[in-house]
Amino acid sequence: MSNQIQLDIQVPAEYAGQRFDQIAADLIPDYSRARLQAWIKGGQLTVDGRSGKPKDKLFGGEQLQLRAELEPQGEWQPQPMDLDIVYEDDSLLVVNKPAGLVVHPAAGNPDGTLLNGLLAHCAGQQNIPRAGIVHRLDKDTSGLMVVAKTLQAQADLVDQLKARSVSRQYDAIVQGTLSGGGTVDAPMGRHRTHRLKMAVLARGAGGAKEAITHYRLQERFRGHTLVRCQLETGRTHQIRVHMAHIRHPLVGDPLYGGRNKLPTGAAPELIEALQQFPRQALHAAELALIHPVTAEPMHWSAPMPEDMLQLLELLRADNH
């Protein structure tokens, strides 16, 4: 992938009176507005050969010239790892993330993350913010993630996520028996006292953001239910918080699970499996989006991991 970007565009007359950065965002949609503003301020994106300011008004007819070089976006190091890549082309890749793998370096996890593995897999990822990661899964959630391989693909995928045209469906094993599906429409934000947790907040409360989860029943057991959840929004810990909010927390959830409720008279193997389940029983099973270059609808699925399959076997045996 070339690190050089060269573009020459004439501003159409109908843009007369609009701001430089707004016109640039319209005429150069392959890059984010923040990236374009940085190029304007840095002099890489010019008007008639001269540097300008993002808020400058243009008259129409000017020549925009972009001469930029993609630069490494972080201090992260490539670390080879076995990635389960479900799909890859020049614009994006889809990875099936195992439980236990942190997505992005942070305090407490400076390396050994999916991001480090992506840099080793494809060196060009270092030129893209967050190495092309456009959405995340919690460390102990398994399943599908899409990663952009170009700035253009990243801008397009971020727009699709904002427009809610990316379909993300998750399998979850929850405590308690549900009689049917439903929708949880409950705004979320950071927990007021426990800073590691998210919480449902009152509408209009400070920090509250819209959060909507649809769920449907897949299989019911004596004291648990397998549900399929579809995200309409993508808040941190959204499914975990929403299912706990309706009093059906995920099995194994260390933050939101509460006390483990065990079916009366359950076999010792099932009791042990429920009590020892090492993570929240949540798997990103289906992912669908519009390809950022071809505009083709794309769809991928990832089989449920072994730990959740084994738990389901024990729950089914307990049903009989």
Side-chain angles (χ1 to χ4, degrees):
M1 185 179 77
S2 171
N3 288 348
Q4 304 291 328
I5 304 169
Q6 296 191 14
L7 281 175
D8 294 274
I9 302 172
Q10 188 169 29
V11 178
E14 60 263 30
Y15 284 94
Q18 292 192 33
R19 287 170 51 128
F20 184 8
D21 59 349
Q22 291 170 336
I23 294 170
D26 254 22
L27 298 181
I28 314 174
D30 286 344
Y31 303 100
S32 69
R33 185 165 294 211
R35 174 59 63 105
L36 291 167
Q37 285 184 336
W39 280 335
I40 292 170
K41 292 171 184 173
Q44 291 102 324
L45 180 54
T46 59
V47 184
D48 291 334
R50 296 187 299 274
S51 294
K53 296 177 181 173
K55 64 182 180 184
D56 287 348
K57 297 287 200 319
L58 303 189
F59 298 99
E62 296 95 338
Q63 195 75 16
L64 300 189
Q65 192 174 66
L66 176 60
R67 297 290 183 270
E69 186 170 352
L70 298 180
E71 299 169 353
Q73 295 294 308
E75 299 298 315
W76 312 297
Q77 297 302 311
Q79 292 178 309
M81 62 179 66
D82 288 331
L83 297 176
D84 182 4
I85 294 174
V86 177
Y87 175 85
E88 183 173 16
D89 62 24
D90 290 341
S91 302
L92 55 82
L93 66 83
V94 176
V95 61
N96 182 17
K97 186 189 86 67
L101 180 62
V102 173
V103 168
H104 194 283
N109 294 101
D111 56 16
T113 69
L114 175 63
L115 183 147
N116 300 104
L118 289 169
L119 292 178
H121 174 73
C122 182
Q125 299 303 118
Q126 69 175 347
N127 297 320
I128 307 172
R130 297 172 302 283
I133 293 166
V134 293
H135 67 116
R136 301 189 189 185
L137 294 177
D138 297 336
K139 173 187 174 184
D140 288 325
T141 298
S142 56
L144 296 171
M145 284 179 60
V146 63
V147 177
K149 291 180 67 178
T150 67
L151 284 172
Q152 295 94 322
Q154 185 181 49
D156 186 89
L157 291 171
V158 167
D159 285 346
Q160 287 192 53
L161 286 161
K162 284 180 183 170
R164 302 180 184 178
S165 60
V166 176
S167 172
R168 290 170 289 166
Q169 298 192 41
Y170 294 70
D171 289 326
I173 304 172
V174 303
Q175 297 190 42
T177 51
L178 284 154
S179 55
T183 295
V184 184
D185 182 352
M188 287 175 51
R190 187 69 58 185
H191 195 283
R192 294 289 182 241
T193 56
H194 193 320
R195 302 309 292 169
L196 291 177
K197 293 177 75 169
M198 306 300 286
V200 167
L201 303 178
R203 288 187 198 281
K209 293 181 179 177
E210 183 185 30
I212 300 171
T213 306
H214 307 284
Y215 64 92
R216 68 177 189 269
L217 189 151
Q218 293 206 103
E219 200 170 349
R220 191 166 47 210
F221 310 104
R222 282 205 303 138
H224 296 82
T225 311
L226 173 65
V227 293
R228 172 62 64 95
C229 297
Q230 179 154 357
L231 289 180
E232 192 169 315
T233 55
R235 307 299 172 207
T236 302
H237 298 176
Q238 181 173 315
I239 291 171
R240 299 165 64 187
V241 170
H242 273 173
M243 296 313 291
H245 179 66
I246 62 169
R247 296 185 172 80
H248 291 283
L250 272 58
V251 168
D253 194 328
L255 273 181
Y256 308 101
R259 233 178 95 250
N260 224 332
K261 297 180 182 68
L262 303 170
T264 308
E269 295 87 353
L270 175 58
I271 291 172
E272 184 182 4
L274 289 166
Q275 290 176 334
Q276 302 299 321
F277 201 77
R279 64 180 184 105
Q280 64 267 5
L282 184 62
H283 174 66
E286 306 272 344
L287 175 67
L289 49 82
I290 304 300
H291 193 281
V293 174
T294 66
E296 291 288 320
M298 308 287 284
H299 174 266
W300 302 274
S301 59
M304 197 179 290
E306 195 59 34
D307 58 353
M308 287 177 65
L309 288 172
Q310 288 176 356
L311 179 57
L312 287 173
E313 277 186 30
L314 291 169
L315 288 168
R316 287 180 189 123
D318 181 70
N319 258 7
H320 299 298

